[in-house]
Amino acid sequence: MKSVLLQLTLLVTMVLLFCGRAEATCIGLGCSCSISADDVSFGAYDPLSASNHDATGAVRVTCGAILGSITVSYTVSLSSGSSGTALARSMQNGGSTLAYNLYTNPSRSTIWGTGAGGTGTLGSSYSLGLLFPRTDTFPVYGRIPPGQTVGAGSYSDTLVATVTF
């Protein structure tokens, strides 16, 4: 099991930082995986805009082994954050909240969660060669819906990214 804490932060000049935790297992001798994530930066959010406010980031999973022909298969899930539900994530600034979500696809039609309750996960499966690690990069598609009346400030949330293999 490997983990890294992912942090979401949003400023109105808003910046969303995405960081998380990972768990992983491989089948084979000396197999290991690690996870890392880039920030999802929304920049400035305009509460008067009628358009969605989109941003992207990335989660990377790197697996390696000392022996060749190791089978690696894993999924990457994201926790719900402070809202308690992946279907309605929100960032906090004191008592104020700002709704947002993270998606598995560019059309932002599948919410990235645990795979339960209408959410999806991403993953990969492959044969790992001797001493040659492989890194898979999964884009994170973020969206803040329009028309949210919020005060200026720093909005944040914390998610856990879990790699299960």
Side-chain angles (χ1 to χ4, degrees):
M1 219 188 276
K2 301 286 180 181
S3 66
V4 62
L5 183 60
L6 304 177
Q7 187 86 99
L8 294 176
T9 304
L10 184 66
L11 306 173
V12 176
T13 337
M14 300 191 185
V15 176
L16 176 66
L17 305 174
F18 170 79
C19 299
R21 179 177 88 90
E23 297 176 19
T25 58
C26 299
I27 299 171
L29 183 61
C31 187
S32 67
C33 293
S34 63
I35 187 170
S36 64
D38 293 340
D39 297 344
V40 178
S41 177
F42 282 105
Y45 173 73
D46 180 359
L48 301 177
S49 173
S51 301
N52 288 316
H53 193 79
D54 294 342
T56 59
V59 172
R60 281 177 300 288
V61 178
T62 302
C63 295
I66 9 183
L67 294 180
S69 299
I70 301 298
T71 300
V72 175
S73 181
Y74 63 84
T75 59
V76 181
S77 61
L78 298 181
S79 70
S80 59
S82 64
S83 69
T85 175
L87 297 177
R89 289 186 174 113
S90 62
M91 290 180 268
Q92 312 293 317
N93 177 17
S96 298
T97 62
L98 182 66
Y100 78 97
N101 225 319
L102 302 174
Y103 301 86
T104 61
N105 55 352
S107 64
R108 291 167 173 82
S109 60
T110 303
I111 293 172
W112 198 339
T114 62
T119 66
T121 61
L122 292 175
S124 189
S125 182
Y126 53 87
S127 211
L128 192 59
L130 175 66
L131 298 175
F132 294 102
R134 174 175 161 165
T135 300
D136 293 318
T137 301
F138 301 97
V140 179
Y141 300 96
R143 173 167 284 166
I144 300 172
Q148 299 182 66
T149 305
V150 294
S154 176
Y155 290 77
S156 64
D157 196 8
T158 300
L159 300 178
V160 175
T162 303
V163 179
T164 306
F165 62 102

